[in-house]
Amino acid sequence: ETSISFRIFKQYIEKKYGKKEAARRIIATTDAHKGTLKALADKEGYAEFVVPDDIGGRFSVFTAVGLVPLALAGIDIKALMEGSKKAMEDYSKESIEENDAYKYAVARRILDDKGYSAEMFVTYNLQLQMVAEWWKQLFGESEGKDGKGILPTSGCFSTDLHSLGQFVQEGRKCLYETLLLVDEMPGDMLFPEDEENLDNMNYLAGKSISWVNEQAQKGTLKAHSDNGNVPNIEIHLKDNSAYSFGYMIYFFMRACGMSCYLLGINPFNQPGVEVYKKEMFKLLGKE
């Protein structure tokens, strides 16, 4: 998919700016010595960053694979790395009593042993939707081997409550929820009062949107855990700063590694994903 997109985009900017200027605007993150993109980048003169040989894509956030696009997006990658360094220090402790990443890993195994075969990663902030997509790859690709593993799925509430809430509340008790909650979200605002109150919403006047969101989270948690008997794990993040983002990413990576080791599998390979690629390329006509 990325190669298809790149060819279309490359031809577009070459037509718009010319090959020389287009080459100045394109940055390649690729293998150090081999590969199609490496050969193309060398020929065209693109600026290049290296993909490490021994780090799988889901663990590559702290390499050029993740840091280059983050920097280009204006994210403070120095602060992000400082956050990850602090997390590395915090979660290197061997005692489970002092290591929240290991607590999370052990909790997953306990729930797995009790028959909960799916984990729903839940956020209440649209800004975290893509974190959920990365989390699914991290745990799905690392843990799903040898007929083992917990199915990673996700929901962005309250939006997905309309489609998934009924199943969570009253469906088969095969899943538990892991809530990622951000304690301090920027861009908050107060809900306004309306003199006519035709929408009957003045009971929320003067309340912040984050407060409303928090009550939605608490109400859903009570409904699912108390009434629906669905186990819930809460993970709190201080804010959505670059520092906290780096800290969070390392937390999940460390927890994922330990979760896999407790299951007796290698968290760092992904032999199964090659099967669909071979079958797909046959159908596409690739030699």
Side-chain angles (χ1 to χ4, degrees), residues 78-97:
K78 183 178 180 181
L80 185 148
M81 293 304 292
E82 287 173 351
S84 69
K85 181 182 178 183
K86 182 65 168 66
M88 184 176 70
E89 294 169 356
D90 289 349
Y91 301 127
S92 293
K93 299 171 183 174
E94 293 185 4
S95 170
I96 191 173
E97 297 299 328

Side-chain angles (χ1 to χ4, degrees), residues 46-88:
Y46 301 155
E48 296 180 36
F49 291 87
V50 175
V51 177
D53 291 332
D54 57 347
I55 299 179
R58 59 196 181 278
F59 292 102
S60 66
V61 180
F62 300 133
T63 73
V65 176
L67 296 179
V68 171
L70 282 163
L72 291 171
I75 305 299
D76 185 348
I77 59 172
K78 183 178 180 181
L80 185 148
M81 293 304 292
E82 287 173 351
S84 69
K85 181 182 178 183
K86 182 65 168 66
M88 184 176 70

Side-chain angles (χ1 to χ4, degrees), residues 246-258:
Y247 192 96
M248 172 196 68
I249 293 296
Y250 187 90
F251 167 86
F252 282 122
M253 286 183 180
R254 187 89 181 200
C256 180
M258 178 55 74

Side-chain angles (χ1 to χ4, degrees), residues 1-281:
E1 299 95 327
T2 51
S3 297
I4 289 172
S5 300
F6 178 63
R7 175 182 284 197
I8 294 170
F9 180 69
K10 175 177 176 290
Q11 290 185 357
Y12 171 77
I13 63 171
E14 285 180 346
K15 183 177 179 181
K16 184 175 178 66
Y17 298 110
K19 283 185 70 71
K20 184 176 180 180
E21 176 61 17
R24 194 184 69 82
R25 291 168 178 258
I26 294 174
I27 296 172
T29 306
T30 184
D31 189 272
H33 306 291
K34 63 183 186 301
T36 303
L37 182 55
K38 171 62 178 173
L40 177 62
D42 287 346
K43 180 178 183 298
E44 300 291 350
Y46 301 155
E48 296 180 36
F49 291 87
V50 175
V51 177
D53 291 332
D54 57 347
I55 299 179
R58 59 196 181 278
F59 292 102
S60 66
V61 180
F62 300 133
T63 73
V65 176
L67 296 179
V68 171
L70 282 163
L72 291 171
I75 305 299
D76 185 348
I77 59 172
K78 183 178 180 181
L80 185 148
M81 293 304 292
E82 287 173 351
S84 69
K85 181 182 178 183
K86 182 65 168 66
M88 184 176 70
E89 294 169 356
D90 289 349
Y91 301 127
S92 293
K93 299 171 183 174
E94 293 185 4
S95 170
I96 191 173
E97 297 299 328
E98 301 178 90
N99 194 320
D100 286 344
Y102 290 172
K103 286 181 184 177
Y104 175 47
V106 170
R108 297 183 79 251
R109 294 278 66 87
I110 291 172
L111 290 165
D112 191 11
D113 290 343
K114 289 185 175 182
Y116 294 98
S117 57
E119 178 177 11
M120 180 178 286
F121 184 85
V122 175
T123 70
Y124 280 81
N125 304 96
L126 289 171
Q127 297 96 322
L128 298 175
Q129 269 189 309
M130 297 312 293
V131 172
E133 296 304 311
W134 167 78
W135 175 90
K136 285 191 288 190
Q137 182 186 0
L138 177 68
F139 280 90
E141 205 166 52
S142 300
E143 195 177 65
K145 297 158 195 167
D146 302 333
K148 301 177 182 179
I150 297 170
L151 173 67
T153 182
S154 66
C156 187
F157 292 173
S158 61
T159 303
D160 288 331
L161 280 173
H162 299 288
S163 57
L164 302 173
Q166 174 63 41
F167 182 91
V168 176
Q169 190 72 42
E170 297 182 343
R172 182 184 299 221
K173 298 308 173 189
C174 60
L175 66 82
Y176 63 94
E177 295 172 295
T178 295
L179 278 60
L180 178 62
L181 304 173
V182 181
D183 295 331
E184 301 172 13
M185 284 297 292
D188 204 3
M189 62 181 295
L190 298 180
F191 188 72
E193 187 168 353
D194 187 284
E195 189 173 318
E196 296 185 23
N197 194 32
L198 296 177
D199 56 6
N200 297 311
M201 294 291 287
N202 270 353
Y203 69 96
L204 292 178
K207 304 288 197 306
S208 70
I209 300 301
S210 63
W211 182 86
V212 173
N213 210 26
E214 183 182 354
Q215 307 323 303
Q217 177 260 315
K218 288 180 178 178
T220 304
L221 176 62
K222 184 173 179 59
H224 287 179
S225 59
D226 292 357
N227 302 109
N229 295 315
V230 176
N232 271 256
I233 298 171
E234 288 189 40
I235 298 173
H236 286 260
L237 197 61
K238 178 184 176 183
D239 53 38
N240 71 337
S241 65
Y243 181 94
S244 294
F245 179 82
Y247 192 96
M248 172 196 68
I249 293 296
Y250 187 90
F251 167 86
F252 282 122
M253 286 183 180
R254 187 89 181 200
C256 180
M258 178 55 74
S259 185
C260 291
Y261 286 138
L262 290 171
L263 200 55
I265 58 177
N266 180 0
F268 302 113
N269 66 355
Q270 52 281 337
V273 299
E274 301 305 319
V275 179
Y276 84 84
K277 291 179 183 178
K278 291 177 182 177
E279 296 300 326
M280 180 183 72
F281 283 136

